[in-house]
């Protein structure tokens, strides 16, 4: 099914993989084990079959090994925390999530973890130190801003789950653009490529729109592949499921519609890039590099879904049975607008 879905998602950007990918595979597991982030057999198996190292190697194809390791560890850290937000009791406890994430911000701002801190906090402190050693204060402050926005998106999603409702499309998009971590990982891409977007371009409306479209593409690609997993867990923060509920579409048509929306976004991105005016030779070269970084994320992300086992359901349900399972186990969810 993954191969079928990936063939329906349009991506005209070439995919490349970092030359250090083999080194990264062994390193990636060692890092999460060192900080005891996989404290039971299910989490260990889930991490191994997810193959986050392949996503890192595809999203950051041109960076050096040390930057690639740090970029990979940010991916691992965020995905492991994402599982806590989506699959544990925290998924309907926004205030509890907020408390944990406040501690994350404290650590990123320099607070040292103590013996009372959980393992993920110690791993975060390690990431902070290694990242700060190789980048500027200005870049790190912008990264911290993006991290706070990501945390806010996770809390908003938990608040919606706690209400037992399906968000309308605008509310879904507002939350999803932050919770998917798109801005966060585009910023990590800058770090991995020893590059920082200038203020002139970062504050430009066209560049902001290119970023926004890129993040929608990343989020909707994820939603197409993760729909069955989220049905199984009773989640509704997924474009496929929002369309299924609010537009009363059968599940297969909701998937097709989400894929069409993804493809329309890719074409809109290409059209927008073709209309970019010249900012002068220096800025044009800088923007071309940033666009190339975004293209690597789009193609690398799509390529990863054909390789990862992260979104396989435990029962390996087919699409029809998934819909029945979801509807029977989630009668308490009310398809209301916020």
């Amino acid at each position: 099914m993954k191969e079928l879905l990936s063939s329906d998602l349009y991506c005209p950007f070439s995919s490349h993989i970092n030359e250090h990918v083999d080194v990264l595979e062994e390193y990636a597991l060692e890092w999460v084990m060192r900080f005891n982030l996989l404290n039971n057999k299910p989490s260990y198996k889930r991490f191994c079959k997810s193959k986050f190292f392949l996503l890192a190697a595809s999203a950051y194809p041109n960076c050096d090994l040390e930057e690639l390791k740090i970029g990979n560890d940010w991916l691992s850290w965020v995905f492991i925390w994402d599982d806590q937000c989506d699959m544990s009791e925290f998924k309907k406890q926004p205030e509890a999530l907020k408390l944990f994430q406040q501690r994350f911000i404290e650590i990123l701002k320099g607070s040292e973890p103590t013996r009372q801190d959980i393992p993920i906090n110690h791993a975060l402190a390690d990431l902070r130190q290694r990242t700060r050693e190789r980048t500027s204060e200005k870049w790190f402050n912008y990264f911290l801003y993006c991290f706070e926005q990501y945390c806010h998106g996770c809390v908003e999603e938990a608040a919606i789950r706690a209400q037992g409702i399906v968000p309308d499309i605008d509310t879904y998009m507002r939350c999803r653009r932050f919770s998917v971590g798109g801005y966060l990982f585009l910023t990590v891409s800058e770090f991995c490529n020893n590059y920082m977007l200038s203020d002139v371009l970062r504050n430009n409306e066209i560049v902001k729109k290119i970023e926004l479209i890129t993040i929608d593409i990343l989020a909707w690609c994820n939603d197409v592949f993760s729909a069955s997993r989220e049905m199984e867990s009773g989640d509704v923060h997924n474009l496929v499921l929002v369309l299924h509920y609010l537009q009363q579409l059968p599940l297969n048509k909701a998937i097709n519609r989400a894929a069409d929306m993804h493809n329309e976004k890719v074409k809109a991105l290409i059209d927008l890039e073709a209309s970019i005016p010249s900012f002068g030779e220096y800025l044009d070269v800088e923007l071309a590099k940033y666009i190339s970084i975004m293209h690597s994320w789009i193609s690398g992300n799509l390529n990863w879904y054909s390789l990862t086992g992260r979104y396989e359901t435990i029962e390996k349900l087919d699409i029809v049975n998934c819909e029945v399972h979801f509807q029977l186990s989630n009668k308490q969810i009310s398809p209301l607008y916020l």
Side-chain angles (χ1 to χ4, degrees):
M1 180 177 164
K2 287 192 295 185
E3 291 75 11
L4 177 62
L5 288 173
S6 79
S7 68
D8 287 339
L9 296 182
Y10 175 55
C11 179
F13 313 124
S14 59
S15 180
H16 306 281
I17 196 156
N18 194 287
E19 63 180 352
H20 303 295
V21 61
D22 293 334
V23 176
L24 189 63
E25 179 176 11
E26 183 176 349
Y27 163 80
L29 183 59
E30 184 276 328
W31 185 79
V32 295
M33 296 296 288
R34 186 187 345 145
F35 288 98
N36 196 31
L37 298 184
L38 309 175
N39 57 7
N40 55 55
K41 190 173 182 180
S43 64
Y44 176 85
K45 291 177 64 177
R46 185 165 60 246
F47 182 87
C48 290
K49 75 177 184 178
S50 293
K51 301 179 181 179
F52 298 129
F53 73 95
L54 289 177
L55 177 57
S58 298
Y60 314 128
N62 302 312
C63 69
D64 294 333
L65 179 58
E66 289 309 309
E67 283 78 8
L68 179 63
K69 287 180 177 178
I70 295 171
N72 175 83
D73 293 344
W74 277 115
L75 274 172
S76 296
W77 190 95
V78 169
F79 274 114
I80 288 170
W81 177 243
D82 187 65
D83 283 344
Q84 293 297 316
C85 295
D86 292 349
M87 299 171 66
S88 74
E89 67 272 14
F90 291 139
K91 70 181 183 180
K92 294 183 180 181
Q93 298 178 9
E95 293 305 315
L97 269 185
K98 193 180 298 184
L99 287 175
F100 274 95
Q101 293 180 156
Q102 284 173 352
R103 182 58 179 153
F104 296 162
I105 301 300
E106 291 172 0
I107 290 171
L108 288 177
K109 288 182 176 180
S111 176
E112 292 297 330
T114 69
R115 285 185 293 179
Q116 282 70 48
D117 278 287
I118 58 177
I120 201 167
N121 292 351
H122 289 274
L124 185 62
D126 174 76
L127 272 173
R128 177 202 68 206
Q129 179 183 346
R130 291 160 58 211
T131 305
R132 286 293 288 116
E133 287 173 352
R134 307 179 79 89
T135 192
S136 68
E137 182 176 358
K138 182 177 181 180
W139 178 89
F140 193 79
N141 286 338
Y142 182 71
F143 169 82
L144 182 57
Y145 167 76
C146 293
F147 188 92
E148 290 175 321
Q149 294 291 90
Y150 159 73
C151 289
H152 179 68
C154 293
V155 170
E156 281 200 322
E157 287 190 351
I160 291 171
R161 291 190 196 100
Q163 295 176 67
I165 60 176
V166 179
D168 62 51
I169 193 76
D170 291 336
T171 302
Y172 153 80
M173 285 306 306
R174 187 184 70 245
C175 296
R176 192 74 174 114
R177 284 167 175 159
F178 294 119
S179 69
V180 75
Y183 288 106
L184 185 65
F185 286 120
L186 288 181
T187 309
V188 172
S189 290
E190 294 181 26
F191 166 84
C192 288
N193 288 278
N194 293 308
Y195 163 89
M196 182 174 178
L197 193 66
S198 64
D199 291 341
V200 172
L201 292 177
R202 200 179 298 283
N203 296 321
N204 182 272
E205 291 304 317
I206 294 178
V207 177
K208 287 182 180 180
K209 189 170 183 180
I210 291 172
E211 287 178 329
L212 187 66
I213 293 175
T214 296
I215 289 164
D216 285 348
I217 291 168
L218 295 175
W220 295 352
C221 179
N222 174 276
D223 286 357
V224 168
F225 284 97
S226 66
S228 59
R229 169 177 145 141
E230 279 151 7
M231 283 187 287
E232 191 176 352
S233 67
D235 200 357
V236 292
H237 289 99
N238 182 295
L239 179 63
V240 172
L241 304 183
V242 170
L243 294 170
H244 172 59
Y245 267 115
L246 299 185
Q247 296 186 11
Q248 298 295 301
L249 293 176
L251 194 58
N252 63 329
K253 290 188 177 180
I255 291 173
N256 291 337
R257 178 61 188 133
D260 289 343
M261 290 173 67
H262 168 279
N263 296 343
E264 289 162 9
K265 281 285 183 180
V266 174
K267 292 170 184 175
L269 179 64
I270 295 169
D271 290 343
L272 182 59
E273 289 174 5
S275 70
I276 296 173
S278 174
F279 296 97
E281 184 176 355
Y282 179 82
L283 290 179
D284 287 350
V285 171
E286 182 185 336
L287 181 55
K289 184 172 183 178
Y290 190 49
I291 289 173
S292 175
I293 284 172
M294 290 187 273
H295 288 178
S296 291
W297 249 109
I298 292 170
S299 61
N301 186 53
L302 179 58
N303 181 59
W304 175 63
Y305 287 109
S306 66
L307 304 171
T308 183
R310 176 173 170 79
Y311 300 104
E312 294 174 357
T313 61
I314 297 172
E315 294 83 4
K316 300 187 183 300
L317 301 173
D318 62 41
I319 201 66
V320 175
N321 288 336
C322 275
E323 181 171 7
V324 173
H325 174 85
F326 184 64
Q327 290 175 338
L328 290 178
S329 63
N330 291 279
K331 291 182 179 179
Q332 76 277 12
I333 296 178
S334 173
L336 301 178
Y337 293 93
L338 290 180

